[in-house]
Amino acid sequence: MKTVHAYAVNEPKGSFEPYEYELGDLQPDEVDIDVETCGICHSDLSMVDNDWDMSEYPLVPGHEVIGKVSAIGDHVTHLSVGDRVGLGWHAGYCMVCDQCMSGDHNLCADASSTIVGRHGGFADVVRAKSASVVKVPDGLAAQEAGPLLCGGITVFNPFVQLDLSPTSSVGVIGIGGLGHMALKFANAWGCEVTAFTSESKQEEALEMGAHHTINSRDMDAIASTDLRFDLVLSTINVPLDWNKVLGTLKTHGRLHMVGALTEPMEIGLLPDMLFKQLSVGASPVGPPVIIRRMLDFAARHKIAPVTEHFPMSKVNDAFERLRSGDARYRIILDRD
């Protein structure tokens, strides 16, 4: 038995308190990770508040883990004790369904989420199935890499899945925790990049890779822009006039949703959807093979999220900062 020292909430919207629990025997396909840093994602906040009606308490959040492997099961061959690794939203997959066998592990119906029904990375140790654990490239700053494991892969995955050309024109709606990383990836991919954002963030957006900006709060400005996009990537969770956004797409263009928008989208078929043969889609985080590709891409192009750091013992202060909406742009907890 191994005792884990963690921080947990005991009720929806509760405060974090020290929490200990025991890990049972390590299974042949599992690894233990000694946590070094763990990013805070808005999904952690949703789980703490039970916004999705699937939280179990005590709840230990944390699914943007960077750490070193401290133990491996007998069947684990691609990792060794001492490897620096990352763990994201998924802590395991069934490995036998059509999705897993096709490389779409992130679409596995029986995938295990790192913080749903199990304890996550706001702790000194986290355990996961080895297939969901990826090595961190030496060229990547490990202390900043955690948010890539969820937010980063969420915006990177569509570039690969949609076979995005490096000559494409890409718009990114919402320059926050997801959107600022999307700007950096799209710029390094070779695309012409436009940020749909508030006036207060337009200068920052240009510094992070955008070539153009549009005021996302001015629907007339969106409707009247001369810019046309192959892909518009929406990272927000609030409604917009989606028909005006669709009007900015080129023929065969795509509006792709990665923000957790819970309200229905009102979209008209005519004229743009039908006569320009447009499409609307969405995707979750990516599979391990794309996560590895993303980390290599980030290391090669020196891409890192913009972060603020708190010691893990100050997790309540970190969550207060997240709730304020003022974080720039991802928060990382460092083990004390």
Side-chain angles (χ1 to χ4, degrees):
M1 300 290 286
K2 180 183 293 187
T3 301
V4 178
H5 307 278
Y7 290 93
V9 292
N10 293 296
E11 60 184 3
K13 302 183 187 295
S15 296
F16 285 89
E17 300 176 2
Y19 173 64
E20 294 184 358
Y21 67 96
E22 302 293 331
L23 288 174
D25 293 337
L26 187 70
Q27 297 303 302
D29 60 346
E30 292 180 331
V31 300
D32 284 345
I33 304 168
D34 286 348
V35 178
E36 297 176 321
T37 71
C38 187
I40 302 178
C41 179
H42 201 276
S43 299
D44 292 309
L45 179 60
S46 296
M47 288 294 295
V48 166
D49 293 350
N50 197 25
D51 290 340
W52 300 330
D53 295 322
M54 60 183 183
S55 302
E56 299 177 13
Y57 302 92
L59 171 68
V60 179
H63 59 278
E64 296 180 342
V65 177
I66 300 292
K68 289 188 176 181
V69 176
S70 56
I72 62 173
D74 292 341
H75 295 172
V76 177
T77 59
H78 69 291
L79 298 171
S80 301
V81 171
D83 285 345
R84 178 168 279 117
V85 296
L87 173 68
W89 178 255
H90 288 130
Y93 313 97
C94 80
M95 303 303 291
V96 296
C97 68
D98 288 350
Q99 286 71 36
C100 287
M101 298 297 284
S102 300
D104 290 326
H105 300 72
N106 56 316
L107 305 181
C108 172
D110 292 320
S112 300
S113 297
T114 301
I115 60 172
V116 180
R118 57 190 299 138
H119 295 314
F122 292 5
D124 57 354
V125 178
V126 65
R127 177 172 290 177
K129 301 287 189 180
S130 63
S132 62
V133 178
V134 296
K135 289 184 181 180
V136 176
D138 291 338
L140 204 58
Q143 68 272 21
E144 306 293 337
L148 295 173
L149 275 301
C150 184
I153 186 58
T154 296
V155 297
F156 184 87
N157 189 49
F159 294 2
V160 178
Q161 300 288 357
L162 301 177
D163 196 22
L164 188 69
S165 166
T167 61
S168 296
S169 179
V170 174
V172 178
I173 302 178
I175 310 308
L178 292 174
H180 88 283
M181 287 187 279
L183 294 182
K184 294 187 175 193
F185 280 130
N187 182 289
W189 200 266
C191 302
E192 182 180 15
V193 186
T194 299
F196 291 65
T197 188
S198 62
E199 289 185 349
S200 64
K201 291 183 178 179
Q202 289 183 353
E203 193 63 36
E204 283 182 279
L206 294 170
E207 293 172 356
M208 290 187 289
H211 301 103
H212 316 281
T213 63
I214 298 175
N215 187 346
S216 60
R217 297 179 182 177
D218 185 346
M219 296 312 300
D220 289 336
I222 293 175
S224 62
T225 182
D226 292 331
L227 297 167
R228 289 294 178 265
F229 307 103
D230 299 287
L231 171 69
V232 171
L233 191 68
S234 176
T235 71
I236 62 175
N237 60 0
V238 295
L240 285 181
D241 185 335
W242 299 112
N243 291 299
K244 289 185 177 178
V245 175
L246 287 171
T248 69
L249 292 173
K250 297 178 183 178
T251 301
H252 297 293
R254 182 182 184 94
L255 170 61
H256 196 80
M257 315 297 290
V258 294
L261 180 67
T262 58
E263 298 186 24
M265 296 176 66
E266 295 186 7
I267 294 176
L269 179 63
L270 296 171
D272 289 315
M273 283 287 290
L274 182 63
F275 294 118
K276 292 168 65 177
Q277 202 168 324
L278 306 181
S279 60
V280 177
S283 61
V285 295
V289 64
I290 306 300
I291 295 175
R292 289 197 293 268
R293 193 180 304 178
M294 174 203 62
L295 293 178
D296 287 339
F297 186 86
R300 177 177 300 176
H301 294 281
K302 310 298 182 188
I303 293 173
V306 177
T307 60
E308 300 179 359
H309 289 254
F310 288 76
M312 196 169 287
S313 59
K314 299 294 185 182
V315 59
N316 285 307
D317 294 339
F319 262 74
E320 184 176 338
R321 176 70 171 167
L322 178 63
R323 288 184 187 277
S324 75
D326 294 330
R328 288 292 192 275
Y329 279 97
R330 304 289 291 200
I331 297 175
I332 292 179
L333 298 176
D334 301 314
R335 282 282 311 285
D336 296 63

